[in-house]
């Protein structure tokens, strides 16, 4: 039975962090390690996290250099065979998500798995704003800006050890860089779980303002250029696909 480490990076999210952590700890799959990396929160988040400490695999609270630095720290501190992420505003669709993830990894040749995600209203997690139906993976899709929802992306630890973690030079698109590096440049074997796995509250760093959207677009292009996959046309397709997700269920 594989052990799954779920890493949560958090900073000043006292309103949602308890729900996120409970979502991890309530999973029916028995071999789950919850690793929480707090960026020295000042709003009461840490007090909430301390109440969970006996049930956590690891809790670290200290200043960091942003979310990707925190996630890299979480990878290093975790001990699971499989590594995934659940952000402090997010939660699993149900208590059986990690069972499904573990089942997909029963195939020893599979290096990574992913599924579907919905964006929900911040104050009403039942109200879906956008449905990100990933679809089956193909190498050609990467050239058109395709990527799996990162909160549903689970990867074997051995892949991170061999290919490295997040490049912290990117402030918003380091997750996209890892996807292209893993799936495109190094062509690891990936499996799709055609089910809804994660509910993500709207308002993340990549889409909270026009400035963030522009920075995200700029970094996406740099990531594509670095990995020699896609280009300007891929950026256009990548953004168009997001519009479709608002109207297509």
């Amino acid at each position: 039975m594989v052990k799954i480490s779920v890493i949560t990076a958090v900073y000043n999210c006292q309103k949602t962090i308890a729900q996120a952590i409970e979502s991890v700890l309530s999973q029916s799959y028995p071999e789950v390690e919850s690793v929480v990396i707090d960026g020295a929160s000042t709003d009461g988040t840490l007090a909430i996290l301390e109440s969970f400490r006996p049930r956590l695999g690891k809790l670290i609270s200290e200043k960091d250099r942003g979310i990707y630095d925190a996630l890299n720290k979480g990878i290093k501190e975790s001990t699971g065979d499989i590594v995934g992420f659940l952000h402090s505003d997010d939660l699993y669709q149900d208590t059986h998500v990690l069972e499904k993830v573990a089942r997909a990894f029963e195939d020893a040749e599979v290096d990574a798995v992913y599924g579907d995600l919905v964006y929900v209203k911040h104050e009403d997690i039942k109200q879906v704003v956008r449905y990100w139906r990933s679809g089956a993976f193909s190498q050609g899709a990467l050239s058109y800006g395709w990527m799996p929802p990162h909160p549903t992306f689970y990867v074997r630890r051995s892949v991170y050890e061999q290919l490295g973690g997040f490049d912290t030079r990117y402030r918003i698109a380091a997750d996209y860089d890892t996807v292209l590096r893993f799936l495109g440049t190094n062509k690891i074997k990936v499996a799709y779980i055609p089910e809804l796995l994660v509910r993500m509250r709207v308002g993340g760093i990549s889409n909270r303002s026009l400035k963030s959207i522009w920075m995200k677009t700029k970094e996406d292009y740099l990531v594509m250029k670095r990995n020699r996959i896609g280009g300007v046309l891929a950026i256009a397709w990548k953004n168009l696909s997001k519009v479709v997700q608002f109207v297509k269920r």
Side-chain angles (χ1 to χ4, degrees):
M1 179 178 286
V2 296
K3 180 178 181 181
I4 301 176
S5 292
V6 179
I7 298 163
T8 301
V10 57
Y11 178 70
N12 287 352
C13 289
Q14 64 176 348
K15 290 184 178 180
T16 59
I17 188 60
Q19 189 176 39
I21 300 304
E22 282 287 5
S23 188
V24 177
L25 297 177
S26 65
Q27 288 294 299
S28 58
Y29 187 70
E31 289 296 319
V32 176
E33 174 188 54
S34 178
V35 175
V36 183
I37 309 298
D38 173 61
S41 292
T42 59
D43 70 337
T45 293
L46 185 56
I48 295 170
L49 291 173
E50 287 290 353
S51 70
F52 285 102
R53 186 183 283 274
R55 301 165 65 192
L56 300 177
K58 181 80 70 170
L59 170 59
I60 296 175
S61 182
E62 60 188 20
K63 290 186 177 181
D64 53 51
R65 294 179 289 113
I67 186 170
Y68 296 118
D69 180 45
L71 295 181
N72 280 338
K73 190 183 302 182
I75 294 171
K76 182 179 179 181
E77 294 291 338
S78 64
T79 62
D81 309 289
I82 311 299
V83 177
F85 308 97
L86 190 77
H87 301 313
S88 56
D89 282 341
D90 305 346
L91 66 157
Y92 290 118
Q93 170 65 8
D94 55 50
T95 58
H96 303 294
V97 167
L98 295 184
E99 273 190 48
K100 299 167 188 175
V101 170
R103 196 175 304 127
F105 278 107
E106 288 177 357
D107 182 344
E109 294 186 358
V110 169
D111 296 308
V113 304
Y114 66 94
D116 296 343
L117 173 148
V118 288
Y119 286 85
V120 297
K121 288 197 171 182
H122 204 275
E123 303 300 332
D124 184 2
I125 60 173
K126 294 182 179 180
Q127 190 162 349
V128 175
V129 176
R130 169 183 162 199
Y131 198 114
W132 190 340
R133 196 181 304 279
S134 306
F137 169 72
S138 71
Q139 284 290 329
L142 293 176
S143 297
Y144 290 91
W146 179 92
M147 71 173 289
H150 197 255
T152 74
F153 192 53
Y154 284 78
V155 181
R156 291 193 189 274
R157 170 176 300 281
S158 57
V159 173
Y160 283 109
E161 291 173 345
Q162 180 182 357
L163 303 180
F166 298 99
D167 188 333
T168 57
R169 290 177 296 178
Y170 302 111
R171 294 180 59 191
I172 298 180
D175 53 345
Y176 186 39
D177 175 62
T178 59
V179 167
L180 291 187
R181 186 155 36 94
F182 291 178
L183 304 189
T185 305
N186 291 280
K187 295 180 173 55
I188 67 171
K189 184 173 180 180
V190 62
Y192 171 45
I193 301 173
E195 297 185 43
L196 177 58
L197 301 185
V198 174
R199 288 180 173 259
M200 171 182 272
R201 287 180 172 88
V202 294
I205 187 172
S206 65
N207 56 24
R208 65 177 51 155
S209 68
L210 288 175
K211 181 179 179 181
S212 294
I213 293 171
W214 168 246
M215 182 181 295
K216 169 68 171 169
T217 300
K218 183 179 178 181
E219 287 195 2
D220 281 349
Y221 179 74
L222 293 174
V223 164
M224 289 177 182
K225 188 175 180 181
R226 175 190 186 185
N227 289 279
R228 299 181 180 179
I229 298 172
V232 175
L233 182 60
I235 290 290
W237 277 110
K238 193 172 190 290
N239 290 329
L240 181 61
S241 69
K242 295 177 182 179
V243 174
V244 174
Q245 291 165 9
F246 283 95
V247 297
K248 187 177 180 180
R249 296 287 189 268

